[in-house]
Amino acid sequence: MNLELTKAEEKVMKILWSIDKGLIRDVVKEYEEPKPAYTTVATIIKILEKKGFVGRKPIANSFEYYPLIERKQYTNGYMRSFVKNYFSNSFKNLVSELSSQEDLTTEEMEELITYFKNKIDDKKKK
């Protein structure tokens, strides 16, 4: 499955993840002003169906749409693709780039170190 979404597709998925399921009008209702046209959202949902991200079931004279992929699954796939395409498939290169940014505070770097130490300890216990 291609895990890359356009910004518009990603917006619809974020809405569906937050509401779990809904009609097109329910998705449109969740947008901030100016809201997109109903037909625009319908087109995006149709594309997401073809990509395998969204399923549907008939409800009266319409369809109820729901995510077929979990947010975490999408995020993991997106991050792996991002690291592969921009950091030579190396998380070390990503962290190195982030840590070299001048706006990263010492406290944030210490939080990262603590986070990774805890992850290492968890993996060693398995």
Side-chain angles (χ1 to χ4, degrees):
M1 170 188 302
N2 178 6
L3 288 178
E4 292 189 35
L5 298 176
T6 66
K7 293 291 181 196
E9 293 165 352
E10 194 172 281
K11 176 67 176 171
V12 169
M13 287 306 299
K14 285 179 180 179
I15 290 170
L16 283 174
W17 285 320
S18 71
I19 66 174
D20 291 324
K21 59 186 175 185
L23 306 174
I24 292 172
R25 70 172 173 256
D26 298 325
V27 174
V28 172
K29 188 174 87 175
E30 295 297 315
Y31 275 85
E32 294 115 25
E33 293 293 340
K35 296 183 185 299
Y38 179 96
T39 53
T40 301
V41 175
T43 300
I44 294 167
I45 288 176
K46 184 175 274 191
I47 292 166
L48 288 167
E49 274 188 276
K50 287 180 183 174
K51 287 185 171 185
F53 279 82
V54 172
R56 70 178 181 179
K57 70 176 187 178
I59 300 285
N61 293 334
S62 190
F63 290 98
E64 181 178 69
Y65 297 92
Y66 52 91
L68 291 175
I69 182 171
E70 294 178 18
R71 185 181 201 134
K72 184 177 181 177
Q73 184 183 0
Y74 171 71
T75 303
N76 287 344
Y78 178 84
M79 285 304 298
R80 289 191 183 284
S81 175
F82 178 76
V83 170
K84 179 181 178 187
N85 292 332
Y86 294 98
F87 296 97
S88 303
N89 211 26
S90 168
F91 284 97
K92 179 182 168 260
N93 290 349
L94 169 65
V95 172
S96 176
E97 177 65 27
L98 289 174
S99 66
S100 70
Q101 299 298 314
E102 292 182 25
D103 56 351
L104 193 65
T105 67
T106 304
E107 184 178 296
E108 289 171 321
M109 286 193 269
E110 288 172 343
E111 287 173 0
L112 284 171
I113 290 169
T114 301
Y115 173 80
F116 282 115
K117 282 182 179 177
N118 290 337
K119 283 293 187 185
I120 290 168
D121 289 345
D122 289 346
K123 283 196 174 210
K124 283 182 178 178
K125 289 176 186 174
K126 289 182 179 178

